[in-house]
Amino acid sequence: MERQSARVQAAGAYGADTSPGGCAVLYVSGNTDVCGPDRCRQALLRIGVNMMALPGGRHLDSIPLPGQRLHLMQVDSVQRWMEDLKLMTECECMCVLQAKPISLEEDAQGDLILAGGPGPGDPLQLLLKRGWVISTELRRIGQKLAQDRWARVHSMSVRLTCHARSMVNEYSAVSRNSSQEMSQIEKLLMEKCSELSAVTERCLQVENEHVLKSMKACVSETLSTLGEHFGQLLELALTREVQALVRKIDASDNIYTTESTTGNLFSLTQEGAPLCRIIAKEGGVVALFKVCRQDTFRCLYPQALRTLASICCVEEGVHQLEKASCVQVDRKVDGVLCLADILTDDSHSEATRAEAAAVVAQVTSPHLPFTQHLSSFLESMEEIVTALVKLCQEASSGEVFLLASAALANITFFDTMACEMLLQLNAIRILLEACSDKQRVDTPYTRDQIVTILANMSVLEQCASDVIQENGVQLIMGMLSEKPRSGTPAEVAACERVQQKAAVTLARLSRDPAVAREAVRLSCMSRLIELCRSPSERNSSDAVLVACLAALRRLAGVCPEGLQDSDFQQLVQPRLVDSFLLCSNMEESFV
């Protein structure tokens, strides 16, 4: 799985797309009825007003009150359009827009970045918004400096100073008293901003190339130091805000406050690994597990677990999960045991258990080297594996099945004993039956998890008979023909992984002559030859090619008469590397 979070790795399309978006994240509570219909209607009207308002216009004076606005619904459309037009255009504004030159500079958009920014009293979003703007400006100044475009470097340095001063002043206005360390870094940052503006202004007056070259090194050093001070200041400020959120979760016994605060914490995890590290270091993991151990907050378990899964994409989060402890019936249990308790407790909703599975998938990800030291996981592995298999069997949706199967797939990498447990739990039958259920297995991402489990289990000799008994060879054959529906890079990559792992599974299972004969009977050899000879069938994937060549050679050892002479001489008889080079250089299929 390839994921910033378990969900994105497993599905490529679960939660906030993953690919993380912008800085301003809207959290919508599911408990809308606490506001009442009147407040909801007023809020919707306010949203409509904000969308129509244009900067620079006298929109506040001309907006009718909610009661005045409603009568427009009963008049004809032309009159409504005439009324709305007053809010949307002004002659003076249109003249200014017509006279404004359109810059070809990429960085000309910088002045518009903060349009619609966070309102007062929102220090977290203010920090994230300003932080993103300043980071962008620093990167652009570096690009213009490399191109020796001194006029742009100077103007952008002045603009950077304005943004930095705005961030410092705005944050000071909405936050509590700053610490001495933060005040010191703020002072150093503003000094470096002034120094950068001054030195770039001097560079505009210099014509000697040798002098400019030496000054360029000075500007570069100043820019680097400024970036360090900015990073330190932003980290201190964000740490302070995260501390406040964690304290609020710890101290809260109100379900609505906890829901809102946990939602804010989840929004921060979507901003990237640095913020996840801050949250982990400041006790966010422990606070969220505390939520998951209180019956009064049961409806918030899915949200808290989803946040935990995001935090555990960084090493600090996984370490805190193992150390996190809470009291249960006169004993202390760490984070892994808390997850096991949730997964094995049928009184929890399916959504809660699915989110717990997502956390397990994240902390056992084979792509994260630090997860292999999660020793406490081994103690609860049998309980967790049993619960995940049951969740796969009873899943009511493809999303739930995906999360549970992704966790199982990762666990089979985590410890080889997991494969033996799965064999005893009849997991092969459950997984292969699910393949024919479109409600549970409906995407290549899910089939990727299933075939991963099968590939890892196929190292066990007992696995072959179970696969034959459940018509598994035919399903594996179908996976060799996996095709993307949308053509998106993520889906194409998932299809390649399905084809590769299906070929690996087939090669491993074909140690058993019964499996090999069944594969030959189902024309697996002709499909493998097609994948080897036709780059378009495998999306020119070298990994798929190597796996198919290995599977073809294994089958040819059992049934050589199923191959034509040319196929045998080119794909089986030579060394594997020679066959690989021959097939990887083919332009088109010769089948």
Side-chain angles (χ1 to χ4, degrees):
M1 290 190 352
E2 305 146 354
R3 163 186 207 277
Q4 342 143 322
S5 78
R7 231 176 277 290
V8 174
Q9 270 190 334
Y14 181 87
D17 203 8
T18 177
S19 26
C23 296
V25 180
L26 177 65
Y27 173 71
V28 182
S29 169
N31 299 285
T32 53
D33 39 334
V34 297
C35 298
D38 292 335
R39 290 184 63 185
C40 286
R41 182 164 57 251
Q42 292 172 7
L44 289 171
L45 284 167
R46 283 198 297 273
I47 291 171
V49 166
N50 291 336
M51 290 176 66
M52 289 187 290
L54 292 176
R58 296 187 298 273
H59 53 279
L60 293 178
D61 297 331
S62 56
I63 291 173
L65 295 173
Q68 298 171 330
R69 181 80 178 156
L70 293 178
H71 80 279
L72 295 178
M73 299 295 295
Q74 316 205 343
V75 298
D76 66 85
S77 56
V78 175
Q79 187 175 346
R80 284 187 59 195
W81 175 71
M82 294 294 290
E83 288 286 336
D84 289 341
L85 198 60
K86 297 176 183 178
L87 307 177
M88 299 170 67
T89 60
E90 286 192 8
C91 295
E92 293 84 355
C93 292
M94 297 301 293
C95 290
V96 171
L97 287 173
Q98 287 176 345
K100 186 175 178 64
I102 299 176
S103 173
L104 297 177
E105 293 287 347
E106 175 192 358
D107 49 64
Q109 301 174 3
D111 293 333
L112 302 176
I113 288 177
L114 283 178
D122 190 2
L124 261 175
Q125 293 304 321
L126 185 149
L127 284 169
L128 292 172
K129 193 83 170 178
R130 285 287 184 189
W132 181 75
V133 171
I134 294 174
S135 298
T136 303
E137 292 290 351
L138 285 168
R139 176 179 56 82
R140 289 175 173 174
I141 291 173
Q143 291 173 347
K144 302 306 176 187
L145 182 63
Q147 299 168 2
D148 294 330
R149 300 181 62 180
W150 293 104
R152 295 303 303 164
V153 168
H154 175 62
S155 63
M156 293 168 71
S157 298
V158 173
R159 192 164 68 199
L160 174 68
T161 302
C162 294
H163 283 309
R165 184 177 293 109
S166 295
M167 185 183 82
V168 170
N169 293 338
E170 289 170 0
Y171 182 67
S172 298
V174 298
S175 68
R176 296 155 293 280
N177 295 330
S178 298
S179 64
Q180 185 176 356
E181 183 182 11
M182 189 176 293
S183 300
Q184 181 65 24
I185 295 178
E186 287 176 357
K187 181 181 178 182
L188 291 173
L189 174 66
M190 296 315 303
E191 287 176 355
K192 281 297 173 183
C193 284
S194 300
E195 183 181 331
L196 182 67
S197 298
V199 71
T200 53
E201 185 176 14
R202 287 199 302 272
C203 289
L204 291 175
Q205 315 302 323
V206 176
E207 297 182 358
N208 189 302
E209 291 185 4
H210 294 291
V211 175
L212 266 179
K213 189 174 182 179
S214 62
M215 294 185 73
K216 182 177 180 178
C218 177
V219 172
S220 180
E221 183 179 352
T222 303
L223 193 64
S224 177
T225 306
L226 191 157
E228 290 177 9
H229 291 326
F230 165 68
Q232 292 169 356
L233 179 62
L234 190 61
E235 183 174 358
L236 278 174
L238 287 172
T239 298
R240 187 177 180 181
E241 296 304 319
V242 167
Q243 287 171 344
L245 284 177
V246 171
R247 283 196 301 268
K248 196 171 181 181
I249 292 175
D250 261 331
S252 174
D253 56 1
N254 181 284
I255 191 170
Y256 302 112
T257 301
T258 305
E259 180 184 25
S260 174
T261 311
T262 305
N264 290 337
L265 209 59
F266 175 74
S267 298
L268 288 180
T269 65
Q270 304 306 292
E271 299 296 334
L275 265 167
C276 289
R277 291 191 183 94
I278 292 174
I279 294 170
K281 289 178 180 177
E282 299 306 323
V285 173
V286 177
L288 290 167
F289 270 117
K290 181 180 176 182
V291 171
C292 291
R293 301 310 301 181
Q294 299 183 55
D295 286 339
T296 54
F297 292 152
R298 271 189 170 241
C299 62
L300 302 183
Y301 286 6
Q303 185 183 60
L305 290 165
R306 190 178 303 123
T307 308
L308 278 168
S310 297
I311 298 172
C312 288
C313 71
V314 297
E315 186 171 3
E316 294 83 354
V318 176
H319 290 329
Q320 289 299 316
L321 179 140
E322 192 169 20
K323 294 176 183 177
S325 62
C326 48
V327 177
Q328 180 194 6
V329 195
D330 298 328
R331 68 187 179 102
K332 295 188 79 176
V333 287
D334 64 18
V336 174
L337 287 174
C338 287
L339 294 173
D341 286 347
I342 292 172
L343 282 168
T344 55
D345 187 350
D346 290 337
S347 68
H348 288 298
S349 67
E350 184 185 66
T352 297
R353 287 179 286 137
E355 294 298 343
V359 181
V360 172
Q362 182 62 70
V363 301
T364 56
S365 173
H367 299 283
L368 302 178
F370 48 81
T371 61
Q372 297 300 321
H373 305 293
L374 200 62
S375 57
S376 63
F377 184 82
L378 298 175
E379 301 172 11
S380 306
M381 187 169 68
E382 187 173 359
E383 293 179 2
I384 291 174
V385 168
T386 303
L388 289 171
V389 170
K390 183 179 179 182
L391 188 58
C392 284
Q393 189 173 17
E394 299 175 351
S396 63
S397 67
E399 183 179 23
V400 173
F401 186 92
L402 173 60
L403 293 174
S405 59
L408 285 175
N410 284 356
I411 292 172
T412 59
F413 286 108
F414 190 80
D415 193 273
T416 54
M417 287 193 306
C419 294
E420 296 177 3
M421 293 177 187
L422 289 171
L423 200 61
Q424 294 171 3
L425 293 167
N426 293 321
I428 290 178
R429 177 181 60 79
I430 293 169
L431 294 172
L432 293 179
E433 283 181 354
C435 288
S436 58
D437 183 359
K438 297 299 182 185
Q439 188 173 354
R440 287 185 290 168
V441 180
D442 56 348
T443 67
Y445 307 109
T446 310
R447 283 185 282 275
D448 181 19
Q449 308 311 317
I450 293 174
V451 75
T452 299
I453 298 169
L454 294 176
N456 287 340
M457 290 184 68
S458 61
V459 299
L460 302 176
E461 291 183 6
Q462 310 94 304
C463 181
S465 59
D466 286 6
V467 170
I468 291 179
Q469 187 176 349
E470 301 297 333
N471 295 322
V473 178
Q474 187 170 0
L475 284 169
I476 294 170
M477 172 69 176
M479 290 178 179
L480 288 172
S481 302
E482 188 75 33
K483 296 287 185 184
R485 297 177 186 174
S486 65
T488 60
E491 190 173 357
V492 170
C495 291
E496 290 176 19
R497 293 194 300 272
V498 172
Q499 288 182 330
Q500 177 200 3
K501 292 170 186 176
V504 169
T505 305
L506 191 60
R508 290 176 177 175
L509 291 174
S510 295
R511 294 191 311 267
D512 187 316
V515 175
R517 286 192 294 270
E518 179 69 6
V520 171
R521 187 184 70 80
L522 292 170
S523 303
C524 281
M525 292 179 75
S526 59
R527 177 57 183 164
L528 290 170
I529 291 170
E530 186 180 21
L531 286 166
C532 290
R533 290 191 175 277
S534 177
S536 60
E537 287 295 313
R538 63 176 189 271
N539 196 41
S540 300
S541 169
D542 289 343
V544 176
L545 173 57
V546 170
C548 289
L549 284 170
L552 184 63
R553 287 164 181 248
R554 181 62 63 85
L555 292 176
V558 177
C559 186
E561 62 275 10
L563 290 172
Q564 296 181 6
D565 288 343
S566 60
D567 294 328
F568 184 80
Q569 291 173 4
Q570 293 177 351
L571 304 179
V572 176
Q573 192 175 39
R575 295 181 307 159
L576 181 62
V577 65
D578 293 331
S579 296
F580 170 79
L581 291 173
L582 173 68
C583 295
S584 60
N585 292 326
M586 287 182 178
E587 294 290 333
E588 192 50 68
S589 171
F590 295 101
V591 177

